[in-house]
Amino acid sequence: CPRLFLGTDSAPHAIGRKETGCGCAGIFNANAALELYAEAFEEAGALEHLEAFCSLHGPAFYGVPANDEVVTLRRETWKMAHSLPLGNEEVVPFRAAQLINWRMDG
C-alpha cells in the first residue's frame, strides 16, 4: 500500500533511565532498523515489498524524488549486541543478544 512507508523513531534511553519503576517508553532500534524490517517482511511473506516500503512510498507521498543511493541487505545471521555505548552510559538495543537473520552490507 503506497500510503504506508518507513518511519523510525528510535528511543536511546540509557539503562539507568529505562529500567526503573517509571522508565522511559520506546525501544532503541536505530542500529539495525532495516535488518529488523527485512525479518518482519520475510516472516509475513512480503519481502518483495520491502524496498518500496523503505525507499519509494515515503518520497512519493511527500512529492519528493527518491534517493539515488542504494543499500544492500544480505541473508546472514549475526548476534545483536547486549548493549551499546551511549555517551558515558549504555543503551540496550531492541532484540539484545538475539540472533538477527539479515545484515546490511558496508
Side-chain angles (χ1 to χ4, degrees), residues 6 29 32-51 53-54 73-80 94-104:
L6 175 69
N29 69 347
L34 290 179
E35 293 92 328
L36 295 169
Y37 273 111
E39 276 195 353
F41 272 71
E42 182 178 42
E43 288 173 14
L47 200 53
E48 69 274 11
H49 300 292
L50 179 65
E51 180 182 13
F53 176 78
C54 293
L73 292 169
R74 62 184 150 77
R75 196 158 211 335
E76 178 185 318
T77 302
W78 59 282
K79 189 173 185 178
M80 178 71 73
F94 182 61
R95 303 267 308 271
Q98 294 183 19
L99 295 178
I100 309 299
N101 293 320
W102 288 88
R103 184 179 286 270
M104 187 168 18

